[in-house]
Amino acid sequence: MREITVFNTMTRQKEIFNPVTPGEAKMYVCGVTPYNHPHIGNARPFVTWDVIRRYLAHVGYKVTYVQNFTDVDDKIINTSNGEGVTWDVIANRYIDSYFEVMDQLGVKHADVYPRVSTHIDDIVAMIAKLIENGYAYELDGDVYYSVEKFEHYGELSGRTLDDMEAGARIEVDGRKKNPMDFALWKSVKPGEPSWESPWGPGRPGWHIECSAMSNKYLGEEFDFHGGGSDLIFPHHENEIAQSEGCSGHHPAVRYWLHNGFITINQEKMSKSLNNFFLVKDVLQHYSPDALRYFLLSTHYRSPLDFSDERLEEANKALERFTTAIQNVLYLETCPAGQCEEAETLLSKAKEYEEEFEAAMSDDFNTALATSSMFGLAKEINIYYQSVVSRDGVVCQEALAEVKRIFSFMTEVIGILEKTWEGQTGANAEEYDELMQVILAVRQDAREQKQWGIADCIRDRLAEIGITIEDSPQGARWKKREI
Ligand SMILES: [Zn+2]
């Protein structure tokens, strides 16, 4: 199996991936709190992790992917009270919205999507175990984690307890043993959903769910834990304290991977700045492939600036890849024969494949990997030009291998799936039939030397993004991906 290196937030360096179970990759990614439609800041980690799991599967790992929904949370409760509906109405509405946009973005489904509300028993059992192990204490129906008891507290974020206290905006609660102690269980308040527990009715604190769910579905030690870099402290720091305090096993997670944040026109994304871009709104203007490609065009750990210019760049990149795919599909229909250029194309394709895999194996560097796609797309287009400018004969064996390589690249990045199926959108078959009629009319006009009509057809089609290419084998049409 190809060696993969990953940047581990815990050790602050790249490490060779060595799975807990040989041949398997078990990953947990913190999911959304469903109180609003997903914004592009939400989309980045899920698209990133989708590519990581695709690549790990390609390398040969059996991937298990778990991603939670925080369906019990202050923001959901506030939204539900504001709308006069129950909390689960809000949670279900925005979980549906999550799947709708992530499906559009080509994000494959996780193996399990655990929700807080259906895992209260697991959470209560974990809290009880933490009390039993001496890491947690009860206070008037609340339960707190005692951070001083956990020797590794602060290792992930690289802070000491003194740093945390100095830097944190924490509520003053004199009852706690240490100001940094965090809630595992909160006693019920009016207007909030609650569940029974040994400490009275209440609901879980935020952090405990991820420990309970990762432990339940992936075990005491698993391979990857992902999320945005804003989750490193306190959420992931607390997860480690809970998981390891409960199981006694260190480490709970072998590799911590965190994606950088998104800025919008160089400003940090925030609701107050009114630059809170919802995925569904962005998709009114750009295709899902364009947004997905944009999210992957920068390495996942780097900050990413969202702007129309960058989305336009993504569109242009997709156009180039689309042309290359359409050319491959066209060349497949050409007569088979020997041609020298095919050997050159194939050897270059193999070089680009190696480059692509080397980039992806080096901490999933999609930014570098996509440059190999550009290189291969260019070579495919050069080959296409040479074929149509001579006899139209294609070395089909070499072409099949080039197709395998290029389609493997687009599959890992997760774009242009429909283009490979020869589709340009809905009703692709009818669309093509219609275009064949138009091309036949234009051909008639040309044969009758009615150049004005022929040119008019070509120009009007160009205006709506359809280009016509004439070759000795006849005319072809191409639609720009919008
Ligand atoms: Zn989490």
Side-chain angles (χ1 to χ4, degrees):
M1 235 185 252
R2 185 180 262 271
E3 191 172 275
I4 290 176
T5 55
V6 295
F7 184 89
N8 188 353
T9 306
M10 180 60 89
T11 57
R12 292 153 188 86
Q13 62 186 12
K14 281 187 192 170
E15 295 176 17
I16 294 169
F17 171 46
N18 174 32
V20 176
T21 308
E24 292 194 30
K26 293 177 193 162
M27 51 181 65
Y28 184 93
V29 178
C30 292
V32 293
T33 300
Y35 75 104
N36 195 354
H37 300 287
H39 56 73
I40 52 169
N42 296 134
R44 189 178 192 193
F46 305 127
V47 168
T48 296
W49 281 90
D50 184 58
V51 171
I52 291 175
R53 75 183 290 193
R54 282 169 188 247
Y55 188 65
L56 288 169
H58 159 76
V59 169
Y61 289 100
K62 177 179 173 286
V63 178
T64 309
Y65 183 111
V66 180
Q67 185 182 311
N68 65 307
F69 283 115
T70 304
D71 66 348
V72 178
D73 177 89
D74 289 342
K75 296 191 220 59
I76 295 174
I77 295 166
N78 292 342
T79 308
S80 69
N81 289 340
E83 287 192 25
V85 295
T86 53
W87 62 274
D88 53 323
V89 171
I90 299 297
N92 285 327
R93 180 198 301 161
Y94 294 113
I95 286 172
D96 288 348
S97 173
Y98 169 87
F99 282 118
E100 197 175 314
V101 299
M102 293 303 153
D103 286 351
Q104 283 181 283
L105 289 174
V107 174
K108 293 184 186 206
H109 283 209
D111 296 289
V112 195
Y113 285 106
R115 302 183 186 193
V116 178
S117 61
T118 54
H119 289 72
I120 299 290
D121 289 350
D122 301 293
I123 290 168
V124 165
M126 185 171 247
I127 296 171
K129 181 81 176 155
L130 283 168
I131 294 174
E132 188 190 318
N133 290 357
Y135 288 99
Y137 56 95
E138 190 194 347
L139 255 182
D140 314 325
D142 298 332
V143 180
Y144 284 95
Y145 190 100
S146 181
V147 293
E148 287 168 13
K149 292 277 171 63
F150 183 61
E151 58 170 325
H152 300 291
Y153 199 72
E155 284 181 5
L156 182 70
S157 54
R159 309 175 196 206
T160 64
L161 276 174
D162 290 340
D163 294 341
M164 292 175 200
E165 282 182 50
R169 287 168 291 170
I170 41 176
E171 79 279 24
V172 180
D173 183 347
R175 302 175 308 154
K176 290 200 284 187
K177 292 182 180 169
N178 183 299
M180 296 311 296
D181 289 354
F182 57 91
L184 300 172
W185 187 260
K186 301 173 180 179
S187 56
V188 66
K189 293 196 195 84
E192 291 189 356
S194 66
W195 288 264
E196 283 308 318
S197 83
W199 319 286
R203 62 184 170 103
W206 170 32
H207 315 292
I208 189 71
E209 66 189 75
C210 289
S211 290
M213 293 166 183
S214 61
N215 183 278
K216 177 168 184 160
Y217 295 103
L218 300 173
E220 290 180 355
E221 183 178 355
F222 56 96
D223 301 301
F224 295 109
H225 195 311
S229 50
D230 54 326
L231 295 179
I232 295 172
F233 186 84
H235 185 53
H236 290 163
E237 197 74 74
N238 292 352
E239 264 192 65
I240 295 170
Q242 296 162 156
S243 298
E244 298 185 11
C246 180
S247 71
H249 184 91
H250 174 77
V253 175
R254 284 208 177 174
Y255 309 96
W256 285 92
L257 273 60
H258 292 99
N259 61 276
F261 54 83
I262 289 193
T263 53
I264 294 178
N265 297 320
Q266 313 290 344
E267 285 186 88
K268 196 164 192 304
M269 194 165 78
S270 77
K271 263 183 163 171
S272 54
L273 287 170
N274 202 22
N275 59 5
F276 205 77
F277 283 29
L278 300 179
V279 176
K280 71 184 183 68
D281 295 338
V282 175
L283 293 181
Q284 298 289 319
H285 304 280
Y286 297 98
S287 71
D289 272 353
L291 178 56
R292 185 177 169 107
Y293 186 81
F294 156 75
L295 292 169
L296 296 168
S297 58
T298 297
H299 187 264
Y300 74 88
R301 279 194 287 121
S302 305
L304 175 60
D305 189 51
F306 182 96
S307 65
D308 282 318
E309 291 75 37
R310 292 294 307 276
L311 266 294
E312 289 300 336
E313 279 173 31
N315 263 340
K316 289 209 178 79
L318 288 173
E319 272 177 41
R320 284 219 234 166
F321 299 149
T322 301
T323 300
I325 292 170
Q326 288 174 338
N327 285 343
V328 168
L329 297 178
Y330 174 77
L331 291 167
E332 276 187 317
T333 66
C334 293
Q338 289 303 313
C339 71
E340 276 176 28
E341 304 101 307
E343 292 308 314
T344 314
L345 171 64
L346 182 55
S347 73
K348 287 195 171 161
K350 284 179 176 166
E351 279 171 32
Y352 284 122
E353 181 182 27
E354 176 52 35
E355 269 182 31
F356 182 95
E357 295 204 62
M360 287 303 295
S361 300
D362 181 9
D363 197 26
F364 312 108
N365 193 336
T366 52
L368 194 57
T370 50
S371 67
S372 307
M373 296 174 66
F374 274 109
L376 181 52
K378 189 176 162 203
E379 294 301 327
I380 289 169
N381 297 342
I382 290 171
Y383 180 67
Y384 164 79
Q385 289 299 340
S386 80
V387 168
V388 296
S389 64
R390 52 172 173 76
D391 55 1
V393 166
V394 168
C395 177
Q396 293 294 349
E397 229 168 86
L399 182 73
E401 184 63 1
V402 170
K403 182 184 182 184
R404 180 195 64 75
I405 293 169
F406 197 48
S407 61
F408 142 67
M409 291 173 173
T410 57
E411 156 69 21
V412 167
I413 298 299
I415 51 169
L416 301 173
E417 196 182 329
K418 287 191 177 131
T419 312
W420 280 112
E421 291 161 13
Q423 291 181 26
T424 50
N427 300 321
E429 219 167 285
E430 282 170 56
Y431 203 112
D432 187 57
E433 280 174 20
L434 200 58
M435 281 306 303
Q436 295 309 328
V437 172
I438 295 170
L439 291 182
V441 170
R442 178 170 169 271
Q443 188 55 29
D444 273 357
R446 280 159 65 95
E447 280 165 16
Q448 292 168 33
K449 300 204 178 349
Q450 295 184 356
W451 306 114
I453 293 175
D455 289 348
C456 176
I457 291 172
R458 188 195 57 209
D459 295 345
R460 293 294 297 274
L461 288 173
E463 281 169 23
I464 57 166
I466 295 172
T467 51
I468 295 181
E469 283 178 15
D470 292 303
S471 78
Q473 286 74 42
R476 289 176 63 200
W477 68 274
K478 273 196 276 202
K479 177 143 176 63
R480 189 159 51 93
E481 288 285 311
I482 307 280

